[in-house]
Amino acid sequence: MTKFSGFPLTGLDFYEDLEADNSKTFWTAHKNVYEESVRAPMVALTAQLEPDFGTAKIFRPYRDVRFSKDKVPYKTAQGAVVGTAPGTGWYVQISAAGLFVGGGFYSGTPAQIAQLRATIDDEVRGAELEAILAKLSKSGFDIGGEKLKTKPKGYEADHPRIDLLRHKSITCHKEFGAPAWLPTARAATEVRKTWETMRPFIDWLTAVVGTTG
C-alpha cells in the first residue's frame, strides 16, 4: 500500500479535461492519470483513515447509464464513503473543483425517514440535532439534503423544528477547493479533522436511522 502524500493537481486537471471530453477515447488515453493521480491517492487516504472511521467504499468511475437519458459514460468526480448505517456515513470527493468533505444521511427507506422525523419531533433528541447542526454551521459547514416543499404529513406547520422535519435526507459538507496543502500529506489531516468535527452529527444519525431497515 502506497502511503498517502496528497492529491496531485494533475488529478484536478484530469477531471477538468474529462468534463470537456467525456468520451471513451479520452478515458483510454488518460486512464493512467486517473489511476495514479486520483484513484491511488484516494485508496491511500481512506486506508490511512480506516482505523479511526472504518472501511471506505471507493466508487467506480463509470456511470450506470442503463436507465438514464444522459449517456455520458464517466463520472466527473471520485468519491468514497465510509458507511455507519444504511445510507449514512462520512464522504470525501475529489474533482476539478478540488476537495469536498462531508457526510450525513444521504438516502434511506420510508421507515428510516419516518424514524428520523419522529426523533426530530422529540423535544430532547430533536433539540440535540438542532444544536449539533448550529455548531457545524458556525464552524463553516453547509447544511444540505433533500427537503419537502411543504410540511410532512402528521406534523404541524408551526412545529419549532419544521425545517428539519421537512428533510428526506440531511447532510453537511465543506468545500476546500485546491489549497496549497492539497497535494501534500496534510490533506489527510484536514479530512480527518473535518470528519472528527462531524462525528456528533454522524453518531446522532447512526443511532437514529441505523436501527430501522
Side-chain angles (χ1 to χ4, degrees), residues 37-124:
S37 298
V38 177
R39 182 173 174 80
M42 185 64 79
V43 170
L45 171 68
T46 53
Q48 187 169 320
L49 298 175
E50 183 174 339
D52 294 320
F53 298 98
T55 304
K57 173 187 176 182
I58 297 175
F59 294 110
R60 287 162 48 86
Y62 313 104
R63 294 183 63 247
D64 185 350
V65 299
R66 290 174 298 172
F67 308 107
S68 174
K69 290 182 180 179
D70 181 359
K71 299 301 181 183
V72 169
Y74 304 103
K75 297 175 184 176
T76 54
Q78 176 63 66
V81 63
V82 177
T84 59
T88 307
W90 284 283
Y91 182 76
V92 61
Q93 173 183 290
I94 197 75
S95 69
L99 181 66
F100 176 104
V101 185
F105 174 57
Y106 287 90
S107 63
T109 64
Q112 283 180 304
I113 296 169
Q115 182 61 39
L116 174 66
R117 289 186 176 137
T119 311
I120 290 171
D121 182 43
D122 181 80
E123 195 170 325
V124 175

Side-chain angles (χ1 to χ4, degrees), residues 120-190:
I120 290 171
D121 182 43
D122 181 80
E123 195 170 325
V124 175
R125 297 285 278 134
E128 283 176 1
L129 179 61
E130 205 168 32
I132 288 168
L133 291 174
K135 190 172 181 179
L136 286 170
S137 183
K138 192 174 180 180
S139 298
F141 286 83
D142 290 320
I143 310 302
E146 185 182 357
K147 296 165 73 172
L148 296 173
K149 292 182 179 179
T150 59
K151 69 179 183 66
K153 197 172 182 179
Y155 296 96
E156 298 300 325
D158 61 353
H159 191 288
R161 288 176 297 283
I162 189 60
D163 191 57
L164 286 178
L165 286 168
R166 287 168 52 214
H167 278 269
K168 295 177 69 177
S169 62
I170 185 163
T171 62
C172 72
H173 72 269
K174 274 188 176 182
E175 296 183 48
F176 289 93
W181 48 256
L182 185 62
T184 74
R186 178 181 161 187
T189 302
E190 296 296 334

